[in-house]
Amino acid sequence: MSAPGAGAQAEDARALELAERLAAVQERIRVASTAAMRPQPRLVVVTKFFPASDVRVLAGLGVLDVGENRDQEAAAKAAELEDLALRWHFVGQLQTKKARSVARYASAVHSVDRVPLVGALDRAVAQERERRRTEGLADRAALACFLQFALDDDAAPGGRGGASLQEAEVLAEAVLASEVLDLAGVMAVAPREMPPAVAFERLMHISATVRTVEPGATAVSAGMSGDLEEAVAAGATHLRIGSDVLGPRPVVG
Ligand SMILES: *Cc1c(COP(=O)(O)O)cnc(C)c1O
């Protein structure tokens, strides 16, 4: 048996670790933004694989935006942390059949990469609004949609993990046609085989294309733990940081 208070001590140690890691990441963002002479992007802390208790600690440290990449895990955590005013960002591959669930808790989806998914999200958010109305719950803002693009040289239309540049206008128009979706901007993950600066320049070019369709769609979700400086320099407005805030992800077998 562990000594009395051992659990509480472990919790304190974890809270201290999260506070230190978060402060270090915030400092990196501050330094990078100053160097690039750009406003500081919003930090979305990606909490996948880490428990709701960590998210609660982060909320206590002032984190408002959290990211998740699997619906089951996100739905459970959002339900457990319903008392906190958190904004949940869905950042992973999204199957159309999960749209209904995601619409219940998410404020933003960063992985909108095909027209059928836009349709599914439109119906899901409309249904969710209707449910809230019937149950006398407060109305929710439109779901912020980031169009996800693949940045590889051979990014083909319809490929996994992001649309191609050729699809940008059609996707943007699809989101704009919805009354319950809001076109926030674009998102990408830098491919491994490419310098992040090159990848993010490509994303900024795609962002310019999307803005010819909707000038208000200025958000750029780019930058993870390993490449946040390059993302800030390129003009990211949202950073999605996981491991540098939470620590190495547990290995799942
Ligand atoms: C996990 C994940 C992140 C965070 O990655 P880190 O390298 O841990 O910072 C960002 N974006 C997406 C889409 C992710 O799945």
Side-chain angles (χ1 to χ4, degrees):
M1 248 186 72
S2 56
Q9 270 177 25
E11 274 174 37
D12 286 352
R14 179 61 174 154
L16 192 63
E17 183 193 354
L18 288 173
E20 285 174 358
R21 283 183 168 277
L22 177 66
V25 166
Q26 286 168 331
E27 177 62 8
R28 277 172 65 195
I29 297 171
R30 199 190 58 75
V31 169
S33 305
T34 306
M37 291 189 287
R38 291 186 185 274
Q40 285 196 33
R42 182 178 297 184
L43 170 60
V44 178
V45 180
V46 181
T47 51
K48 64 190 183 201
F49 296 116
F50 289 92
S53 56
D54 279 354
V55 185
R56 190 174 287 284
V57 169
L58 290 166
L61 295 166
V63 169
L64 300 169
D65 295 275
V66 291
E68 289 285 335
N69 74 338
R70 289 185 310 173
D71 171 59
Q72 225 184 349
E73 183 178 343
K77 280 186 207 166
E80 189 173 340
L81 301 170
E82 224 170 18
D83 58 308
L84 302 175
L86 288 167
R87 284 189 292 258
W88 294 88
H89 297 246
F90 193 85
V91 304
Q93 282 263 331
L94 182 53
Q95 294 173 277
T96 50
K97 65 179 183 194
K98 297 291 172 92
R100 188 80 188 84
S101 172
V102 168
R104 290 183 84 113
Y105 58 83
S107 301
V109 173
H110 291 233
S111 44
V112 177
D113 61 357
R114 57 201 193 279
V115 171
L117 179 58
V118 177
L121 286 170
D122 172 67
R123 287 187 297 277
V125 175
Q127 278 177 28
E128 174 61 10
R129 286 193 147 181
E130 187 52 34
R131 180 187 76 87
R132 297 184 72 89
R133 201 171 304 131
T134 343
E135 294 181 16
L137 301 167
D139 202 6
R140 284 255 296 267
L143 179 72
C145 292
F146 292 73
L147 308 180
Q148 182 179 357
F149 292 93
L151 302 176
D152 322 71
D153 290 318
D154 54 358
R160 278 179 70 86
S164 65
L165 172 61
Q166 300 93 283
E167 297 167 295
E169 288 171 19
V170 168
L171 263 177
E173 301 281 9
V175 174
L176 289 172
S178 165
E179 285 178 15
V180 295
L181 304 178
D182 183 48
L183 183 62
V186 298
M187 178 275 210
V189 175
R192 283 183 206 286
E193 64 280 4
M194 192 183 287
V198 173
F200 296 141
E201 274 319 311
R202 284 190 187 183
L203 183 60
M204 294 312 293
H205 174 66
I206 299 171
S207 166
T209 303
V210 169
R211 279 179 281 123
T212 62
V213 181
E214 171 50 60
T218 54
V220 178
S221 168
M224 308 181 7
S225 294
D227 54 25
L228 80 82
E229 283 80 6
E230 288 89 344
V232 170
T237 62
H238 292 64
L239 303 169
R240 308 178 311 272
I241 313 291
S243 40
D244 279 1
V245 173
L246 288 130
R249 279 187 280 281
V251 179
V252 284

